[in-house]
Amino acid sequence: MAIDKQHTSTKQKSSQKQGFLQNFLDSIFKTSDPEVEKKRRLKMIAKNYQKSKYHNFYKISTLEIMPSFAKLFYEIYKIISPVQSIFRADQSQGMYKNQIINFSISESQQEILDALDEHKIIEMSKQIPLQNLQQTVEEKLAKFTDEFTPERIAKAENLYRTFNLFKDFCSFDYYRMLKKFCSRLVENNFSATPDFVKINAEYVVDDLKDFVEVAYVVTDEHLIWTDLFEFLKMLKGGTELITITNWKKIVAKIKSIQAALSFDLMIKHISSNPLYEPRLQIKVNSIIEPYMDKISEDTNRILAKINSAQKESKANSFCEQIFGNQKIQILKYYVSGFNEVLGKKDLGQFIYTEPLNYLKAFLVEFVKTDVREYYEVVCIRGQWDASLSAPMSNAYQELLKTSDDITAFDEQLSEDGAYGLKIKTLLPKTAHDPGAENIVKRVVTDSNDFAKKYIMSSTQNLIILGRTLKQLIEDHVKQKPEIVQNWRELEKYFEMPLKDFAVTIYKKIYLFVQLMQQYM
């Protein structure tokens, strides 16, 4: 929150004009009766106003605002009326922020922004690996950020502040207030000067308070009007709706009135409130830091989207090579279809449904068939050191056990299962019972933990299986095998060449491990 320093300085100078004599008189005539003191102050306010430069705006004896006051506002209204159309248009404050930032950035920064367009990043992703793409994007972001020097940031922030103060000043409802002085006034029609009449001051005192709050702040010497008017001209495609010369005349007039305290004294006297002070607090949030954060978030979102799309594409490719074109759906209850129900109540998600489903299918359709056939011949009938076959044997047995465990886990989530029954019973209560909500969330979390454990352990066992299988394939083609001594004897148990059968198994294991890594 910032208070207009110019206004504070002006008030101090004006107060000094009253001198020590006024303070001395105040101390003499001060009374303990609040009403008497208030009347005394209002009388002094009236005297000070009559001595002010703009005493012809308000007639104290009759409590009337004079036509000269309306004429001043009419002249302001006539100058700023064309620019009011900009702020009446259906445009969000966020749009203005972006336009001001775009106006403030350098040409090289604009080129970087163009290069970080989503379509261009996607095109780059088709030409270079994701890791290189990410590095390229990060380098461009760093260069973009580096060009936002403290000076450039300060200027952009000041332009935004200047814009907001100007916007508030122009958005004041001049027409509504002026119509009180001339009922025949036509909005935005300046063909002839209206005949303004004097009116009861109470009719406009609230309008005057509102005006003071948006007017006094535009006298700040630090505001960058030249830059603002260049920006406004750019907004309107080169059309100048208001000249900076006319605007500076308005600012000079406001500054003169502010220095004379004329409006302050008028408001105090009309409202019978000697303690009135204009509310000149201005809150303008930073625009550059959130803007840079958003660019970073947007590019990260694009990269994540590309990464997800590439993973999905790879996963689909691996699935097709492993399972063919058949639709794989072997689990019944740990499925993504239930996530819609959970999501509506913000209870979490089943996040490993797809990989766990593929794992169960792979264990049933491949490990329990082709791998089992190879294992029962080579590991059981093969003549080789038990210490060398133990890792493969243990991995295979673990995979079979995991297959059974996944089935049991999935059944636990059925309506009659331990987990499923909890969800079925407690789900309707979660909206009003925190205890029920926590239990369901815990069930979902535990389910995901189990699913992840099955996927991680099975992937590791498949890696062990594949690594051993690769050694066996290499050993099989040697003139003098070093691991299995009776390869020729084992070949008769297979309908196709043993080496080809082993290579096919190895390839599928390799592809499936790659598939699981896309999810983990």
Side-chain angles (χ1 to χ4, degrees):
M1 306 291 276
I3 300 177
D4 194 297
K5 295 181 179 178
Q6 177 66 28
H7 175 65
T8 304
S9 176
T10 304
K11 284 192 64 181
Q12 290 174 346
K13 291 178 182 178
S14 300
S15 298
Q16 289 172 358
K17 292 178 182 179
Q18 298 179 17
F20 295 105
L21 179 60
Q22 182 63 54
N23 293 332
F24 176 69
L25 292 173
D26 285 347
S27 66
I28 292 176
F29 296 107
K30 189 173 183 181
T31 174
S32 60
D33 188 332
E35 284 302 314
V36 173
E37 176 63 18
K38 179 180 178 181
K39 289 179 181 179
R40 186 192 67 77
R41 288 193 176 189
L42 288 173
K43 186 176 181 180
M44 187 59 63
I45 287 169
K47 287 182 179 180
N48 289 335
Y49 176 73
Q50 288 174 332
K51 295 176 184 178
S52 73
K53 184 176 179 180
Y54 300 95
H55 62 276
N56 61 330
F57 286 166
Y58 170 52
K59 191 173 182 179
I60 289 176
S61 60
T62 59
L63 298 178
E64 292 175 315
I65 301 293
M66 308 308 288
S68 57
F69 175 89
K71 287 177 182 178
L72 168 67
F73 277 81
Y74 182 76
E75 289 304 313
I76 295 174
Y77 176 44
K78 185 163 60 173
I79 292 173
I80 61 94
S81 177
V83 85
Q84 283 185 323
S85 61
I86 297 178
F87 306 125
R88 285 175 181 167
D90 185 18
Q91 182 164 262
S92 67
Q93 189 71 7
M95 183 67 72
Y96 285 129
K97 286 181 185 179
N98 289 337
Q99 289 171 332
I100 287 172
I101 293 170
N102 290 337
F103 179 79
S104 302
I105 63 178
S106 65
E107 289 184 12
S108 59
Q109 283 180 305
Q110 186 59 56
E111 290 175 1
I112 293 172
L113 282 181
D114 292 341
L116 293 177
D117 176 77
E118 181 170 357
H119 295 294
K120 291 187 178 178
I121 294 178
I122 291 174
E123 285 302 313
M124 280 194 288
S125 71
K126 298 175 182 177
Q127 302 168 15
I128 60 176
L130 183 62
Q131 186 175 356
N132 294 350
L133 175 63
Q134 188 166 354
Q135 183 179 350
T136 300
V137 169
E138 288 174 355
E139 289 172 355
K140 288 183 181 296
L141 280 174
K143 187 177 179 182
F144 180 84
T145 302
D146 289 344
E147 288 205 35
F148 264 126
T149 61
E151 294 76 19
R152 187 182 292 277
I153 291 175
K155 190 173 181 180
E157 302 282 12
N158 196 10
L159 177 58
Y160 182 59
R161 178 174 180 265
T162 304
F163 170 83
N164 277 283
L165 299 184
F166 179 76
K167 176 176 176 287
D168 291 344
F169 183 91
C170 294
S171 299
F172 177 79
D173 200 340
Y174 296 91
Y175 170 72
R176 185 179 65 84
M177 187 181 76
L178 287 170
K179 199 167 177 63
K180 296 176 183 180
F181 293 89
C182 177
S183 60
R184 295 190 302 273
L185 184 70
V186 179
E187 189 170 15
N188 296 322
N189 186 340
F190 306 101
S191 58
T193 303
D195 293 326
F196 294 118
V197 297
K198 59 185 178 181
I199 64 172
N200 189 320
E202 291 184 354
Y203 294 165
V204 293
V205 66
D206 289 336
D207 296 321
L208 185 55
K209 287 179 182 178
D210 293 340
F211 178 76
V212 164
E213 291 176 14
V214 299
Y216 282 2
V217 289
V218 302
T219 62
D220 187 343
E221 297 291 343
H222 296 95
L223 299 176
I224 47 177
W225 298 117
T226 301
D227 289 357
L228 175 66
F229 277 77
E230 287 180 10
F231 169 69
L232 293 174
K233 191 174 180 180
M234 180 273 295
L235 273 188
K236 298 304 293 181
T239 303
E240 192 174 50
L241 299 179
I242 174 175
T243 67
I244 192 168
T245 302
N246 283 338
W247 170 249
K248 286 185 175 179
K249 287 180 181 178
I250 293 176
V251 173
K253 178 65 72 173
I254 299 299
K255 190 178 293 185
S256 175
I257 293 171
Q258 186 180 7
L261 295 178
S262 298
F263 284 169
D264 302 61
L265 295 170
M266 285 172 64
I267 293 169
K268 287 180 180 181
H269 192 270
I270 297 167
S271 61
S272 297
N273 180 14
L275 302 178
Y276 162 79
E277 292 291 339
R279 295 177 300 174
L280 303 182
Q281 295 179 331
I282 306 165
K283 182 179 180 180
V284 180
N285 295 326
S286 171
I287 60 172
I288 299 300
E289 186 175 342
Y291 175 76
M292 291 191 291
D293 289 343
K294 186 176 186 306
I295 291 176
S296 180
E297 289 171 4
D298 287 346
T299 52
N300 287 334
R301 175 187 56 78
I302 294 168
L303 291 173
K305 181 179 176 182
I306 293 170
N307 184 34
S308 177
Q310 289 185 353
K311 280 188 173 182
E312 184 178 354
S313 177
K314 286 182 180 178
N316 290 337
S317 175
F318 289 139
C319 280
E320 188 173 340
Q321 293 178 71
I322 297 167
F323 301 110
N325 294 321
Q326 63 175 317
K327 181 176 175 62
I328 304 300
Q329 185 58 60
I330 199 164
L331 299 180
K332 297 178 181 179
Y333 307 106
Y334 187 77
V335 292
S336 59
F338 195 63
N339 283 338
E340 185 177 351
V341 177
L342 296 171
K344 285 181 179 179
K345 295 179 176 288
D346 196 25
L347 298 171
Q349 300 274 287
F350 288 156
I351 57 180
Y352 299 110
T353 57
E354 201 165 53
L356 189 67
N357 184 64
Y358 289 145
L359 174 60
K360 177 61 180 178
F362 188 75
L363 294 175
V364 171
E365 297 181 11
F366 184 69
V367 172
K368 288 187 175 183
T369 54
D370 292 5
V371 174
R372 173 175 295 193
E373 182 180 351
Y374 183 87
Y375 172 81
E376 289 181 348
V377 172
V378 176
C379 280
I380 295 176
R381 297 178 182 274
Q383 297 176 4
W384 52 317
D385 193 322
S387 63
L388 296 176
S389 64
M392 183 177 185
S393 180
N394 292 337
Y396 171 71
Q397 297 299 332
E398 282 295 320
L399 288 170
L400 295 182
K401 179 178 182 301
T402 298
S403 179
D404 295 336
D405 290 344
I406 292 173
T407 299
F409 160 72
D410 192 46
E411 288 296 330
Q412 291 264 39
L413 287 166
S414 70
E415 289 189 355
D416 298 326
Y419 281 173
L421 187 59
K422 284 184 180 180
I423 294 176
K424 178 184 177 182
T425 304
L426 298 175
L427 195 61
K429 303 178 182 179
T430 55
H432 52 80
D433 184 351
E437 180 181 352
N438 290 335
I439 293 173
V440 174
K441 284 183 176 180
R442 172 49 59 188
V443 169
V444 173
T445 300
D446 288 348
S447 298
N448 288 328
D449 289 343
F450 278 120
K452 183 178 181 180
K453 182 189 73 172
Y454 296 142
I455 295 166
M456 296 293 287
S457 63
S458 296
T459 302
Q460 188 59 41
N461 283 320
L462 285 169
I463 290 172
I464 294 171
L465 207 64
R467 187 182 299 130
T468 307
L469 191 58
K470 186 173 183 293
Q471 293 173 342
L472 292 174
I473 292 170
E474 293 170 350
D475 186 65
H476 184 205
V477 297
K478 290 180 179 179
Q479 291 289 337
K480 293 183 178 181
E482 298 175 0
I483 301 176
V484 178
Q485 305 302 318
N486 61 335
W487 281 116
R488 291 193 177 185
E489 180 186 336
L490 299 178
E491 287 178 356
K492 65 183 180 181
Y493 293 99
F494 297 95
E495 294 181 1
M496 64 183 297
L498 177 54
K499 178 191 171 185
D500 294 344
F501 187 58
V503 169
T504 301
I505 294 174
Y506 175 79
K507 285 181 178 179
K508 282 208 172 184
I509 290 175
Y510 174 81
L511 287 170
F512 190 79
V513 168
Q514 294 296 308
L515 173 62
M516 291 297 99
Q517 288 176 346
Q518 300 307 307
Y519 294 100
M520 307 306 292

